[in-house]
Every structure is written in structure tokens, then in C-alpha cells.
Amino acid sequence: MTSVPDFGLIFNANFITLIRPIMHQVLLTLFQQPENTAVTLRERVCSTLRRAIHSGALSAGQRLPSSRILATDLKISRVTAEAAYAQLEAEGYLQRRVGQGTFVAVRIIKPAPLRKTVGQLRLSQRGDAIVQTGGCRDPQQPLPFAAGSPELRVFPLKLWKHLTAQQLRVRGEKLLRYGDPQGYLPLREAIAGYLGQTRGVNCDAQQVIVLTSSQQALQLIATLLLDHGDNVWLEEPGYLGARNAFISAGAKLNPVSVDEAGLRPDNTLPVPRLIYLTPAHHYPTGVALNLERRLTLLEMARREQAWIIEDDYDSEFHYDGQPMPAMQSQDRHGNVLYLGTFSKTLFPSLRLAYLIVPPALVPAFTTARTLYDGHSAQLMQAVTAEFIQQGHFAAHIRYLRQLYRSRRDWLLTQVEQHLKTFATPQPAGGGLQLAVWLPPGQEATLTRQARQLGVITPGLAAQFITPQARRDGWLLGFSALTPGEISAAVEQLSKIARG
Ligand SMILES: Cc1ncc(COP(=O)(O)O)c(C=O)c1O
């Protein structure tokens, strides 16, 4: 009897010869299995032994054949067998003892039976709340009338390619390094300059945080500024992306109705910790929040030390006159967080958006960003900065504004002419989509019929929280569709009216 104290096991020297035929079979079978796809012979031997150990075919303390015997059994060279043993010893699977042999050094714990049945995931309460929102997915193809897709067929690709090459040439490997979590400084400067000129936003580059998307900004705000049970006011109907972010933070949602002058401040509601607004162009109806209400809300935020999110998601696309300056420009007490995105003005896969926060919040947001995804891609930030600074951004937006205005007018005319039996448009001064109201209770049926005709018609009813406030309607995206594509899709929808 040989004692092997390291494993606390007793070995019989003859055991090896006894188990050799069994071991031979197990190892040989595993070695020859087609799923053993390791590239080198050595790795194939290693993977054979690892699997034998994990499956329990080889157990802790068990002695393995010498490398010479293993080589003979598996018909490999002795050098390969030696190398495989050395590799597995380095990984902790085996232990080689001079004069004694090679032993399995690891005890595999048998998995206890699962408490829950397989297939039933156990998420955290927060995880459950997130999954139950259904998430927010944007359309991957600009099919008629998917909402929110910009026209990418007119994007100045050649120029973008030129600027990308130029940035790589000029800045080289610097753009390949880790970047500033707050955002690439020249881009922050360009954004601050642009927002100051076009929206009256009062900020410098130190207050700009470059993010992946508005959604990431909303998620960060909800995580950093809301505690479980905090009251949030949000427009009804309103943007699902914002609602879902607040739900994921465990906030208490207080839907506030919207009329022709925007959100109606309601003193009967609990005092909010945060108010979410789309003041320039309410999502989804397109109305603007009037000055009196803006001032009332700003004063309330000051008094209650509440935050206001100003989601200025499409203020670039106003067709009938200029939008009012940003609310942020009227904020004297640092309550407003201003949010914008390049998803519509440039292209969605760019994954760049910006958040302007009061100076005191910058360190918190920057630190939190490091826990999410570190920072946005440096190269694309550099190209975007250059695109803005060389004046191409302003020119591109001027062009898109003209294009989208004519498409909005065309869709409005088409809806009025061909869908008037069931759809009532709500004309808006801007935006990338047109809201149309449907007869009560008919959204689901009409949406199904539209789908059968090959037309996507995003619904409005789901954008209400209060059941009694729900109105049926569609939000028809037009920006990515030519007049011909709009006419063809409206023609399809008109078949619903004709039965
Ligand atoms: C109200 C609102 N905010 C923000 C966005 C932009 O989101 P993102 O930057 O996440 O693409 C959208 C897009 O449709 C929107 O409708």
C-alpha cells in the first residue's frame, strides 16, 4: 500500500494496471469524439483529460498512466503526452510527483439539484421590472411607417469617409487609446458651441457629457438621481424610453396630461423629485410647452429641489418657424438636465448623444459612466467634432429640414385625402413622424389590418399610462420615406377603409 498524503487517499500500486483497460476505453472514446475539435494534438489530449475529470470519469487522487503509456494508448508521441501533462499541471488539474507518477489534483464538486426548475430564470426585482417593460427597440429598417428613422440615403458618406481617414492620419494611434469617460474634448467643445448658438443652451464643454444614446442618458439619470419610490412626473402620452428608465429605477410614475400648451402642471399630484419633459416638441403629439408653464415648472423645481429633464430630441427639425430656446437657457438654479442625440441628425448607429448637466453633477455622471461602458468610441467622436466644426453639420441639418418638411406636408395631404374615414391627423410644426388619431377602441384591429397589408403603424395607446386617458392612434414616421414610398404605403392603408 502506498500512502499519498496530498490527497488523503490510499492507493494500491496494482490498481493502475487493473484500471488501465477501463481508463484506456474512457480516454480513447473522449479523445476520438468528433466534438473534440481542438486544433493541436496536445490541446486534444488536454481537453480529453479535462473532460474526463469534469465528468467524474477520473476523480481526485486518481493516478494517471505514465506519459509513455498514455502516448502508446492514444497513439501520439511521448513529447505530446508530456506537454499535455505539463499544461494540465500548470492549470491545476494534475499534480506530478517525482518517483510516484501523475495524479488528478482537483476535486470536482457534483452539482446539487437546482432549487428552481430549469428554464425558470431567477432575476433580481430590478431585473424583473426591466424585463417587464418590454424594453425599447428602434426599427432596424426604415419600413413605412416605422417611427423615428432618419433618411440615410442622403447622408454625405464620401465626406464622412474623408474626415475619418483624415482623423486617423492626423491623430493616429491616439484615437485608439482609452478615452475620457466624459467625452472627447473637441467634441464637447463643438457640442457646447452648437447648442449655445442654436438653442441658447448655457454651458461650456465642462458640463457636456458625451454618451451612447438618449436612452443611456435617461438610464444614468434614473440610476443616479432617483431612489426607489421617488415621484416622477412625466407627460401623458409620453416617451416609453423615459418611462422604462424610471420604472427600472423603481420610481413612482405620475402621468401628467398634455393639452395644446404642453404638460399641465397639476398641484394635486405628489411633489416630484424629477420631471421629464419634451418641451420644444412634445413626444408624440408635437405641441410646444408654453412659456408660462415652463416658468411655473422651473420655479417648482427650484422650490422643491427637483430635477427637470429637458429631452430636446428633435428640435433641429422644426418646419414652421423657430422653436423656443431651450428651457435650460431659462434655468437660473441648476435644476435642468438637457438631453440631445445625434441618432436623428447624423445616423443612429453612430451611437452618440449628449447630456448637459449642472457643474456639480459632472463628477457623479462621469464616474457612473466608467461603470457602464467607459466611454464612446474615440474615432467617431473625433470625426463628429470635425464634421460640426467645419460647418457640415449645420449644412446637413438645413438640407434635412427642407427634405423632411416636404415629406411631412406630403404625408399630411395623403392622410387627409385617402384615410379620412378613420384617421384624424394632428398636424405638428416639426418632428420625424405624424400622429394620427383613430376611432376609440380600433387601434389594435386597424394595426393588425395594416400589418397584413405590409405597413407598420406604431401605436399611440401604449404611450398612455392611465387607462381612462388612453386614446387610440398611430405615429407615422415619414422622414425616411420618399413621396413615392409614402403614397404607396398610404394607398395600402386606404384599402382598410374600402374594406
Ligand atoms: C422622445 C425621444 N427622446 C430621445 C430619442 C432618441 O433616442 P436615442 O438617442 O436613444 O436613439 C427619441 C427617439 O425616437 C425620442 O423619441
Side-chain angles (χ1 to χ4, degrees), residues 147-200:
S149 304
E151 177 56 272
L152 299 175
R153 290 170 288 190
V154 299
F155 187 77
L157 270 180
K158 252 192 175 161
L159 175 59
W160 193 262
K161 212 168 106 184
H162 165 74
L163 291 176
T164 306
Q166 187 194 54
Q167 284 304 305
L168 279 172
R169 201 171 47 246
V170 175
R171 310 209 188 272
E173 54 84 29
K174 288 199 187 84
L175 292 175
L176 310 183
R177 299 177 190 165
Y178 284 113
D180 182 346
Q182 194 183 340
Y184 183 67
L185 184 58
L187 178 59
R188 287 193 276 125
E189 285 166 350
I191 291 170
Y194 162 71
L195 293 178
Q197 275 167 24
T198 59
R199 306 291 296 124

Short mmCIF file of all heavy atoms in Angstrom, two decimals, residues 147-200:
data_model
loop_
_atom_site.label_atom_id
_atom_site.label_comp_id
_atom_site.label_asym_id
_atom_site.label_seq_id
_atom_site.Cartn_x
_atom_site.Cartn_y
_atom_site.Cartn_z
N ALA A 147 -41.49 54.52 -36.87
CA ALA A 147 -41.25 55.89 -36.39
C ALA A 147 -39.78 56.12 -36.04
O ALA A 147 -39.10 55.22 -35.56
CB ALA A 147 -42.13 56.17 -35.18
N GLY A 148 -39.34 57.33 -36.32
CA GLY A 148 -38.05 57.77 -35.80
C GLY A 148 -36.82 57.44 -36.63
O GLY A 148 -35.70 57.63 -36.16
N SER A 149 -37.01 56.92 -37.87
CA SER A 149 -35.80 56.64 -38.68
C SER A 149 -35.46 57.87 -39.51
O SER A 149 -36.31 58.39 -40.20
CB SER A 149 -36.07 55.48 -39.64
OG SER A 149 -36.50 54.36 -38.94
N PRO A 150 -34.20 58.31 -39.48
CA PRO A 150 -33.81 59.41 -40.36
C PRO A 150 -33.57 58.91 -41.79
O PRO A 150 -33.43 57.71 -42.00
CB PRO A 150 -32.51 59.91 -39.74
CG PRO A 150 -31.96 58.74 -39.00
CD PRO A 150 -33.11 57.87 -38.60
N GLU A 151 -33.53 59.83 -42.75
CA GLU A 151 -33.22 59.46 -44.14
C GLU A 151 -31.71 59.30 -44.27
O GLU A 151 -30.96 60.27 -44.17
CB GLU A 151 -33.73 60.55 -45.09
CG GLU A 151 -33.40 60.30 -46.55
CD GLU A 151 -33.90 58.96 -47.07
OE1 GLU A 151 -33.15 57.98 -46.92
OE2 GLU A 151 -35.02 58.89 -47.61
N LEU A 152 -31.25 58.09 -44.46
CA LEU A 152 -29.81 57.84 -44.53
C LEU A 152 -29.30 57.80 -45.96
O LEU A 152 -28.10 57.82 -46.20
CB LEU A 152 -29.47 56.54 -43.79
CG LEU A 152 -29.84 56.56 -42.30
CD1 LEU A 152 -29.60 55.21 -41.65
CD2 LEU A 152 -29.07 57.64 -41.55
N ARG A 153 -30.21 57.74 -46.92
CA ARG A 153 -29.77 57.67 -48.32
C ARG A 153 -29.17 58.99 -48.80
O ARG A 153 -28.53 59.03 -49.84
CB ARG A 153 -30.95 57.25 -49.22
CG ARG A 153 -31.36 55.80 -49.00
CD ARG A 153 -32.66 55.45 -49.69
NE ARG A 153 -33.82 56.05 -49.05
CZ ARG A 153 -35.09 55.75 -49.34
NH1 ARG A 153 -35.35 54.83 -50.26
NH2 ARG A 153 -36.09 56.34 -48.73
N VAL A 154 -29.38 60.06 -48.03
CA VAL A 154 -28.79 61.35 -48.43
C VAL A 154 -27.60 61.71 -47.52
O VAL A 154 -27.08 62.82 -47.59
CB VAL A 154 -29.84 62.49 -48.38
CG1 VAL A 154 -30.97 62.20 -49.35
CG2 VAL A 154 -30.37 62.72 -46.97
N PHE A 155 -27.19 60.80 -46.68
CA PHE A 155 -26.08 61.11 -45.77
C PHE A 155 -24.78 61.29 -46.57
O PHE A 155 -24.49 60.49 -47.45
CB PHE A 155 -25.91 60.01 -44.72
CG PHE A 155 -24.89 60.37 -43.68
CD1 PHE A 155 -25.22 61.27 -42.67
CD2 PHE A 155 -23.59 59.88 -43.73
CE1 PHE A 155 -24.27 61.66 -41.73
CE2 PHE A 155 -22.64 60.26 -42.79
CZ PHE A 155 -22.99 61.15 -41.79
N PRO A 156 -24.00 62.34 -46.27
CA PRO A 156 -22.76 62.58 -47.04
C PRO A 156 -21.66 61.57 -46.69
O PRO A 156 -20.68 61.90 -46.03
CB PRO A 156 -22.37 64.01 -46.64
CG PRO A 156 -22.99 64.22 -45.30
CD PRO A 156 -24.24 63.39 -45.26
N LEU A 157 -21.82 60.38 -47.21
CA LEU A 157 -20.90 59.29 -46.87
C LEU A 157 -19.46 59.56 -47.30
O LEU A 157 -18.52 59.25 -46.58
CB LEU A 157 -21.37 58.00 -47.56
CG LEU A 157 -22.34 57.11 -46.78
CD1 LEU A 157 -22.71 55.89 -47.60
CD2 LEU A 157 -21.71 56.68 -45.44
N LYS A 158 -19.33 60.14 -48.50
CA LYS A 158 -17.98 60.41 -49.04
C LYS A 158 -17.21 61.34 -48.12
O LYS A 158 -16.04 61.12 -47.81
CB LYS A 158 -18.12 61.07 -50.41
CG LYS A 158 -17.74 60.17 -51.55
CD LYS A 158 -17.64 61.02 -52.79
CE LYS A 158 -17.15 60.21 -53.95
NZ LYS A 158 -17.47 60.87 -55.21
N LEU A 159 -17.92 62.39 -47.69
CA LEU A 159 -17.31 63.37 -46.80
C LEU A 159 -16.94 62.72 -45.47
O LEU A 159 -15.86 62.95 -44.91
CB LEU A 159 -18.31 64.51 -46.59
CG LEU A 159 -17.95 65.61 -45.62
CD1 LEU A 159 -16.66 66.29 -46.03
CD2 LEU A 159 -19.08 66.64 -45.53
N TRP A 160 -17.84 61.88 -44.97
CA TRP A 160 -17.61 61.20 -43.69
C TRP A 160 -16.37 60.30 -43.80
O TRP A 160 -15.53 60.25 -42.90
CB TRP A 160 -18.85 60.38 -43.33
CG TRP A 160 -18.85 59.90 -41.91
CD1 TRP A 160 -18.47 58.68 -41.45
CD2 TRP A 160 -19.23 60.65 -40.74
NE1 TRP A 160 -18.59 58.61 -40.07
CE2 TRP A 160 -19.06 59.80 -39.62
CE3 TRP A 160 -19.70 61.96 -40.53
CZ2 TRP A 160 -19.34 60.21 -38.31
CZ3 TRP A 160 -19.98 62.36 -39.22
CH2 TRP A 160 -19.80 61.50 -38.15
N LYS A 161 -16.27 59.63 -44.93
CA LYS A 161 -15.13 58.74 -45.16
C LYS A 161 -13.83 59.56 -45.20
O LYS A 161 -12.83 59.19 -44.59
CB LYS A 161 -15.33 58.05 -46.52
CG LYS A 161 -14.77 56.66 -46.59
CD LYS A 161 -15.26 55.96 -47.83
CE LYS A 161 -14.17 55.87 -48.87
NZ LYS A 161 -14.61 55.28 -50.13
N HIS A 162 -13.91 60.70 -45.87
CA HIS A 162 -12.74 61.58 -45.97
C HIS A 162 -12.31 62.06 -44.58
O HIS A 162 -11.13 62.02 -44.23
CB HIS A 162 -13.09 62.76 -46.89
CG HIS A 162 -12.14 63.89 -46.81
ND1 HIS A 162 -10.88 63.83 -47.39
CD2 HIS A 162 -12.23 65.10 -46.20
CE1 HIS A 162 -10.24 64.97 -47.13
NE2 HIS A 162 -11.04 65.74 -46.41
N LEU A 163 -13.31 62.49 -43.77
CA LEU A 163 -12.97 63.00 -42.44
C LEU A 163 -12.42 61.89 -41.54
O LEU A 163 -11.53 62.13 -40.72
CB LEU A 163 -14.20 63.63 -41.78
CG LEU A 163 -14.70 64.94 -42.40
CD1 LEU A 163 -15.98 65.42 -41.71
CD2 LEU A 163 -13.62 66.03 -42.30
N THR A 164 -12.95 60.68 -41.73
CA THR A 164 -12.46 59.55 -40.92
C THR A 164 -11.00 59.28 -41.26
O THR A 164 -10.15 59.12 -40.36
CB THR A 164 -13.32 58.29 -41.20
OG1 THR A 164 -14.69 58.63 -40.99
CG2 THR A 164 -12.95 57.14 -40.29
N ALA A 165 -10.70 59.24 -42.55
CA ALA A 165 -9.31 58.99 -42.97
C ALA A 165 -8.41 60.11 -42.46
O ALA A 165 -7.30 59.86 -41.97
CB ALA A 165 -9.25 58.89 -44.49
N GLN A 166 -8.91 61.33 -42.55
CA GLN A 166 -8.11 62.49 -42.12
C GLN A 166 -7.80 62.41 -40.61
O GLN A 166 -6.67 62.63 -40.19
CB GLN A 166 -8.91 63.76 -42.43
CG GLN A 166 -8.17 65.03 -42.19
CD GLN A 166 -9.13 66.20 -42.19
OE1 GLN A 166 -10.11 66.21 -41.45
NE2 GLN A 166 -8.86 67.17 -43.05
N GLN A 167 -8.81 62.08 -39.82
CA GLN A 167 -8.60 61.98 -38.38
C GLN A 167 -7.59 60.90 -38.04
O GLN A 167 -6.74 61.07 -37.17
CB GLN A 167 -9.93 61.70 -37.66
CG GLN A 167 -10.83 62.90 -37.55
CD GLN A 167 -10.14 64.06 -36.85
OE1 GLN A 167 -9.64 63.94 -35.75
NE2 GLN A 167 -10.08 65.20 -37.52
N LEU A 168 -7.68 59.79 -38.75
CA LEU A 168 -6.73 58.69 -38.49
C LEU A 168 -5.32 59.10 -38.88
O LEU A 168 -4.35 58.75 -38.21
CB LEU A 168 -7.15 57.44 -39.27
CG LEU A 168 -8.26 56.62 -38.61
CD1 LEU A 168 -8.74 55.52 -39.53
CD2 LEU A 168 -7.79 56.03 -37.28
N ARG A 169 -5.23 59.87 -39.96
CA ARG A 169 -3.91 60.32 -40.42
C ARG A 169 -3.32 61.32 -39.42
O ARG A 169 -2.19 61.20 -39.00
CB ARG A 169 -4.07 60.97 -41.80
CG ARG A 169 -2.79 61.01 -42.61
CD ARG A 169 -3.01 61.45 -44.04
NE ARG A 169 -3.84 62.62 -44.18
CZ ARG A 169 -5.04 62.65 -44.75
NH1 ARG A 169 -5.55 61.54 -45.25
NH2 ARG A 169 -5.75 63.76 -44.84
N VAL A 170 -4.15 62.28 -39.00
CA VAL A 170 -3.64 63.35 -38.15
C VAL A 170 -3.42 62.88 -36.71
O VAL A 170 -2.40 63.19 -36.10
CB VAL A 170 -4.62 64.55 -38.18
CG1 VAL A 170 -4.19 65.64 -37.21
CG2 VAL A 170 -4.74 65.11 -39.58
N ARG A 171 -4.38 62.14 -36.18
CA ARG A 171 -4.28 61.79 -34.74
C ARG A 171 -3.75 60.38 -34.50
O ARG A 171 -3.35 60.04 -33.39
CB ARG A 171 -5.63 61.95 -34.05
CG ARG A 171 -6.25 63.30 -34.33
CD ARG A 171 -7.14 63.80 -33.25
NE ARG A 171 -7.83 64.99 -33.70
CZ ARG A 171 -7.36 66.23 -33.59
NH1 ARG A 171 -6.22 66.44 -33.00
NH2 ARG A 171 -8.03 67.26 -34.06
N GLY A 172 -3.82 59.56 -35.54
CA GLY A 172 -3.20 58.23 -35.48
C GLY A 172 -3.60 57.42 -34.28
O GLY A 172 -4.77 57.39 -33.89
N GLU A 173 -2.58 56.80 -33.65
CA GLU A 173 -2.86 55.86 -32.57
C GLU A 173 -3.50 56.50 -31.34
O GLU A 173 -4.07 55.80 -30.51
CB GLU A 173 -1.60 55.08 -32.18
CG GLU A 173 -0.38 55.92 -31.84
CD GLU A 173 -0.37 56.40 -30.39
OE1 GLU A 173 -0.93 55.73 -29.50
OE2 GLU A 173 0.20 57.48 -30.16
N LYS A 174 -3.45 57.83 -31.23
CA LYS A 174 -4.06 58.49 -30.06
C LYS A 174 -5.55 58.16 -29.99
O LYS A 174 -6.14 58.06 -28.92
CB LYS A 174 -3.90 60.01 -30.16
CG LYS A 174 -2.50 60.49 -29.92
CD LYS A 174 -2.50 61.98 -29.58
CE LYS A 174 -1.10 62.51 -29.49
NZ LYS A 174 -0.55 62.90 -30.83
N LEU A 175 -6.15 58.01 -31.17
CA LEU A 175 -7.59 57.73 -31.20
C LEU A 175 -7.90 56.28 -30.87
O LEU A 175 -9.07 55.90 -30.74
CB LEU A 175 -8.18 58.08 -32.58
CG LEU A 175 -8.19 59.56 -32.91
CD1 LEU A 175 -8.68 59.78 -34.33
CD2 LEU A 175 -9.07 60.33 -31.93
N LEU A 176 -6.89 55.47 -30.77
CA LEU A 176 -7.12 54.05 -30.47
C LEU A 176 -7.02 53.76 -28.97
O LEU A 176 -7.31 52.66 -28.53
CB LEU A 176 -6.09 53.18 -31.22
CG LEU A 176 -5.94 53.46 -32.71
CD1 LEU A 176 -4.96 52.48 -33.33
CD2 LEU A 176 -7.28 53.37 -33.44
N ARG A 177 -6.60 54.76 -28.22
CA ARG A 177 -6.41 54.55 -26.77
C ARG A 177 -7.74 54.60 -26.04
O ARG A 177 -8.75 55.00 -26.60
CB ARG A 177 -5.53 55.66 -26.20
CG ARG A 177 -4.15 55.71 -26.80
CD ARG A 177 -3.41 56.90 -26.20
NE ARG A 177 -2.17 57.15 -26.93
CZ ARG A 177 -1.46 58.26 -26.82
NH1 ARG A 177 -1.88 59.24 -26.03
NH2 ARG A 177 -0.36 58.42 -27.51
N TYR A 178 -7.70 54.30 -24.73
CA TYR A 178 -8.86 54.56 -23.88
C TYR A 178 -9.12 56.07 -23.90
O TYR A 178 -8.18 56.86 -23.98
CB TYR A 178 -8.59 54.13 -22.44
CG TYR A 178 -8.67 52.63 -22.23
CD1 TYR A 178 -7.53 51.90 -21.91
CD2 TYR A 178 -9.88 51.96 -22.35
CE1 TYR A 178 -7.59 50.53 -21.72
CE2 TYR A 178 -9.96 50.59 -22.16
CZ TYR A 178 -8.81 49.88 -21.85
OH TYR A 178 -8.89 48.53 -21.66
N GLY A 179 -10.38 56.44 -23.80
CA GLY A 179 -10.70 57.87 -23.89
C GLY A 179 -11.27 58.40 -22.59
O GLY A 179 -11.48 57.67 -21.62
N ASP A 180 -11.54 59.71 -22.61
CA ASP A 180 -12.11 60.39 -21.45
C ASP A 180 -13.56 59.94 -21.27
O ASP A 180 -14.36 60.06 -22.20
CB ASP A 180 -12.04 61.90 -21.74
CG ASP A 180 -12.57 62.74 -20.58
OD1 ASP A 180 -13.23 62.18 -19.69
OD2 ASP A 180 -12.33 63.96 -20.59
N PRO A 181 -13.93 59.44 -20.08
CA PRO A 181 -15.32 58.98 -19.89
C PRO A 181 -16.34 60.10 -20.08
O PRO A 181 -17.50 59.85 -20.40
CB PRO A 181 -15.35 58.45 -18.45
CG PRO A 181 -14.04 58.76 -17.85
CD PRO A 181 -13.09 59.18 -18.92
N GLN A 182 -15.91 61.35 -19.89
CA GLN A 182 -16.86 62.46 -20.08
C GLN A 182 -17.06 62.75 -21.56
O GLN A 182 -18.07 63.34 -21.95
CB GLN A 182 -16.32 63.71 -19.36
CG GLN A 182 -17.39 64.78 -19.21
CD GLN A 182 -16.88 66.05 -18.58
OE1 GLN A 182 -15.84 66.03 -17.90
NE2 GLN A 182 -17.58 67.13 -18.79
N GLY A 183 -16.14 62.31 -22.39
CA GLY A 183 -16.27 62.57 -23.83
C GLY A 183 -15.02 63.27 -24.35
O GLY A 183 -14.30 63.94 -23.60
N TYR A 184 -14.78 63.10 -25.63
CA TYR A 184 -13.62 63.67 -26.32
C TYR A 184 -13.74 65.20 -26.30
O TYR A 184 -14.77 65.75 -26.75
CB TYR A 184 -13.65 63.12 -27.74
CG TYR A 184 -12.53 63.49 -28.65
CD1 TYR A 184 -11.24 63.03 -28.41
CD2 TYR A 184 -12.76 64.26 -29.78
CE1 TYR A 184 -10.20 63.35 -29.28
CE2 TYR A 184 -11.74 64.58 -30.65
CZ TYR A 184 -10.46 64.13 -30.39
OH TYR A 184 -9.45 64.44 -31.25
N LEU A 185 -12.72 65.87 -25.76
CA LEU A 185 -12.85 67.31 -25.51
C LEU A 185 -13.25 68.13 -26.74
O LEU A 185 -14.17 68.94 -26.67
CB LEU A 185 -11.58 67.85 -24.85
CG LEU A 185 -11.62 69.33 -24.46
CD1 LEU A 185 -12.77 69.63 -23.50
CD2 LEU A 185 -10.29 69.77 -23.86
N PRO A 186 -12.59 67.94 -27.92
CA PRO A 186 -13.02 68.75 -29.07
C PRO A 186 -14.50 68.55 -29.42
O PRO A 186 -15.17 69.48 -29.86
CB PRO A 186 -12.12 68.25 -30.20
CG PRO A 186 -10.92 67.69 -29.51
CD PRO A 186 -11.41 67.12 -28.22
N LEU A 187 -15.03 67.35 -29.18
CA LEU A 187 -16.45 67.13 -29.46
C LEU A 187 -17.30 67.86 -28.42
O LEU A 187 -18.31 68.49 -28.75
CB LEU A 187 -16.80 65.63 -29.47
CG LEU A 187 -18.28 65.33 -29.72
CD1 LEU A 187 -18.76 65.90 -31.06
CD2 LEU A 187 -18.57 63.83 -29.67
N ARG A 188 -16.87 67.81 -27.17
CA ARG A 188 -17.64 68.52 -26.13
C ARG A 188 -17.65 70.02 -26.43
O ARG A 188 -18.65 70.70 -26.25
CB ARG A 188 -17.05 68.24 -24.75
CG ARG A 188 -17.38 66.82 -24.29
CD ARG A 188 -17.09 66.64 -22.82
NE ARG A 188 -15.72 66.32 -22.55
CZ ARG A 188 -14.92 66.99 -21.72
NH1 ARG A 188 -15.36 68.05 -21.08
NH2 ARG A 188 -13.68 66.62 -21.52
N GLU A 189 -16.53 70.53 -26.91
CA GLU A 189 -16.47 71.96 -27.24
C GLU A 189 -17.40 72.27 -28.42
O GLU A 189 -18.13 73.26 -28.40
CB GLU A 189 -15.02 72.35 -27.59
CG GLU A 189 -14.15 72.46 -26.35
CD GLU A 189 -12.66 72.50 -26.66
OE1 GLU A 189 -12.25 72.26 -27.83
OE2 GLU A 189 -11.89 72.75 -25.72
N ALA A 190 -17.37 71.39 -29.40
CA ALA A 190 -18.23 71.60 -30.58
C ALA A 190 -19.71 71.56 -30.18
O ALA A 190 -20.51 72.38 -30.64
CB ALA A 190 -17.94 70.54 -31.64
N ILE A 191 -20.07 70.62 -29.31
CA ILE A 191 -21.48 70.50 -28.88
C ILE A 191 -21.89 71.75 -28.09
O ILE A 191 -22.96 72.33 -28.33
CB ILE A 191 -21.67 69.22 -28.03
CG1 ILE A 191 -21.52 67.97 -28.90
CG2 ILE A 191 -23.03 69.22 -27.33
CD1 ILE A 191 -21.47 66.65 -28.14
N ALA A 192 -21.03 72.17 -27.16
CA ALA A 192 -21.37 73.35 -26.35
C ALA A 192 -21.57 74.57 -27.27
O ALA A 192 -22.53 75.34 -27.09
CB ALA A 192 -20.27 73.62 -25.33
N GLY A 193 -20.70 74.72 -28.26
CA GLY A 193 -20.81 75.86 -29.18
C GLY A 193 -22.10 75.78 -29.99
O GLY A 193 -22.85 76.75 -30.10
N TYR A 194 -22.38 74.60 -30.51
CA TYR A 194 -23.57 74.39 -31.34
C TYR A 194 -24.85 74.66 -30.53
O TYR A 194 -25.75 75.37 -30.99
CB TYR A 194 -23.54 72.95 -31.88
CG TYR A 194 -24.86 72.46 -32.39
CD1 TYR A 194 -25.41 72.95 -33.57
CD2 TYR A 194 -25.57 71.49 -31.68
CE1 TYR A 194 -26.64 72.50 -34.04
CE2 TYR A 194 -26.80 71.03 -32.14
CZ TYR A 194 -27.32 71.54 -33.31
OH TYR A 194 -28.53 71.09 -33.77
N LEU A 195 -24.92 74.11 -29.32
CA LEU A 195 -26.14 74.28 -28.52
C LEU A 195 -26.32 75.72 -28.05
O LEU A 195 -27.46 76.20 -27.94
CB LEU A 195 -26.12 73.35 -27.30
CG LEU A 195 -26.20 71.86 -27.62
CD1 LEU A 195 -26.12 71.02 -26.34
CD2 LEU A 195 -27.51 71.53 -28.37
N GLY A 196 -25.20 76.40 -27.80
CA GLY A 196 -25.30 77.81 -27.41
C GLY A 196 -25.88 78.64 -28.55
O GLY A 196 -26.79 79.45 -28.36
N GLN A 197 -25.39 78.37 -29.75
CA GLN A 197 -25.84 79.16 -30.92
C GLN A 197 -27.27 78.84 -31.30
O GLN A 197 -28.06 79.73 -31.60
CB GLN A 197 -24.97 78.82 -32.13
CG GLN A 197 -23.69 79.61 -32.19
CD GLN A 197 -22.76 78.98 -33.22
OE1 GLN A 197 -23.20 78.30 -34.15
NE2 GLN A 197 -21.48 79.20 -33.05
N THR A 198 -27.62 77.56 -31.35
CA THR A 198 -28.91 77.20 -31.93
C THR A 198 -30.03 77.09 -30.91
O THR A 198 -31.19 77.27 -31.24
CB THR A 198 -28.82 75.85 -32.67
OG1 THR A 198 -28.41 74.85 -31.73
CG2 THR A 198 -27.83 75.92 -33.82
N ARG A 199 -29.71 76.76 -29.64
CA ARG A 199 -30.77 76.52 -28.66
C ARG A 199 -30.64 77.41 -27.43
O ARG A 199 -31.40 77.24 -26.47
CB ARG A 199 -30.74 75.04 -28.23
CG ARG A 199 -30.82 74.04 -29.35
CD ARG A 199 -32.20 74.04 -30.04
NE ARG A 199 -33.25 73.63 -29.16
CZ ARG A 199 -34.35 74.35 -28.90
NH1 ARG A 199 -34.51 75.56 -29.44
NH2 ARG A 199 -35.29 73.91 -28.09
N GLY A 200 -29.66 78.30 -27.43
CA GLY A 200 -29.48 79.21 -26.29
C GLY A 200 -29.01 78.49 -25.04
O GLY A 200 -29.07 79.04 -23.94
#
